[in-house]
Amino acid sequence: MTVWVGTSWKMNKSLAEAKRYAAELLEGLDQRELGAVQPFIIPPATALSAVAGVLDGDGRVLLGAQNAHWEDSGAWTGEVSVPQVADAGAQLVEIGHSERRAHFAETDETVRRKVAAALRHGLTPLLCVGEPADVKDAGRSSGFILQQADRALDGLSPEQLSRVLIAYEPIWAIGEAGRAADAEELRGPFADLGGAYGDRVAGLLYGGSVAPDNASELLGIPHVDGLFVGRAAWQVEGYLHLLDIAAETAGTRSPARPGHSSH
Ligand code: PEP
C-alpha cells in the first residue's frame, strides 16, 4: 500500500531555492530506499516548470500545483488552469486548502469544479478538508469534513473517485497558529472519513503540524495513508527526515487493507 508523503511550499522559495531543493531531494533519494513511500512536492506556480526541469522525468517524486482553475482557459486574470499547470509539469493539484477557502473565497462548489477539472485532464486532485476550532469544540469535526468531502466529490464515478487523494487538515492544527493534534483527537475523524471513503479513494492523508516527533504515530492511526506537510518539510533535510520515518513506519505496517487499492 502506498504511503504518501508530500509538502506544499506555499508562497515561499525563489526559483534558485526551488531548484536547489529539488536537486538536493534527488540526491537524498539516491541514498535511500523508500519502499512504499511516494514523495510529492508542491512548489509555487512560478517554480513549477523549473522544478520539473530539475526532476527531469525522474519518476520518484510527483510534482504538484497549489491550485488550478476549473476552466481550461479564458478571461480569469491571475489564475492558472489545469492544462497550464500540467503543461508546466504538474501531475497533481492541491484543491481547497483552508487558506484558499478563507482568503480566496473558495467554496464547496468551486472546489468541486476544480476536482472535476483535475480529473478531466488526468491529474490527481489532492482535496483538502478540515474544520475550524469552534466546530471541533462543538464535537462536529466528522460531520463537517464529511460534508466538505461529499460536496467536493459529488457526482464522480467510482473510477474517478479512485484517483482522488484526500488530505484531512484540521484548521486548528496547521501553520504557525496551529497546535499539533494529539493522535487520539484524530482517530474519530479518520474512522469516519475512512468508513466513507477509505476504500474508494487513492489515499487519505493527514496534515497539520506534522514533525519528526509525531510522524510515526500519525501514520499509525487507522486509515491514515500518508502525511501532508508544511513547515517541517520546507528545508530539504527536514523532508528527507520525514521520508525516512515514513519508510521505516511503512516497513512495519501490515499489508494493504482488504479492498484498498495499492499503487
Ligand atoms: C498546511 O498548512 O497545510 C500544513 C500542513 O502546514 P504545517 O505542516 O506547517 O502545519
Side-chain angles (χ1 to χ4, degrees), residues 56-198:
D56 194 22
D58 182 87
R60 288 175 295 178
V61 183
L62 293 177
L63 185 61
Q66 295 179 18
N67 175 43
H69 199 270
W70 60 86
E71 294 286 347
D72 290 359
S73 62
W76 298 97
T77 301
E79 290 290 309
V80 291
S81 70
V82 174
Q84 286 176 316
V85 299
D87 190 35
Q91 299 145 297
L92 178 150
V93 191
E94 180 181 355
I95 298 170
H97 188 278
S98 57
E99 289 158 10
R100 293 207 54 84
R101 293 181 192 253
H103 305 305
F104 301 101
E106 295 224 341
T107 64
D108 288 334
E109 175 57 14
T110 59
V111 167
R112 186 191 67 75
R113 291 187 195 188
K114 290 178 178 199
V115 168
L119 290 168
R120 191 165 70 239
H121 292 286
L123 277 74
T124 299
L126 172 60
L127 167 67
C128 299
V129 298
E131 84 285 12
D134 60 328
V135 171
K136 171 185 165 43
D137 293 344
R140 295 192 289 111
S141 299
S142 289
F144 189 94
I145 62 174
L146 281 175
Q147 184 176 76
Q148 282 185 327
D150 290 348
R151 289 179 174 173
L153 304 174
D154 186 38
L156 298 184
S157 69
E159 185 281 324
Q160 289 172 318
L161 204 50
S162 74
R163 294 190 276 130
V164 174
L165 290 170
I166 301 177
Y168 170 41
E169 300 205 308
I171 296 171
W172 47 269
I174 65 169
E176 291 294 342
R179 67 159 177 89
D182 188 289
E184 290 310 315
E185 297 176 285
L186 304 176
R187 287 185 196 280
F190 268 105
D192 293 325
L193 207 49
Y197 288 105

Side-chain angles (χ1 to χ4, degrees), residues 10 97 99 169 173-175 207-210 228-231:
K10 303 196 180 187
H97 188 278
E99 289 158 10
E169 300 205 308
I174 65 169
S209 299
V210 172
F228 189 28
V229 191
R231 293 157 296 159

Side-chain angles (χ1 to χ4, degrees), residues 35-61:
V37 175
Q38 174 62 65
F40 63 89
I41 57 176
I42 309 188
T46 49
L48 259 182
S49 169
V51 169
V54 174
L55 296 180
D56 194 22
D58 182 87
R60 288 175 295 178
V61 183

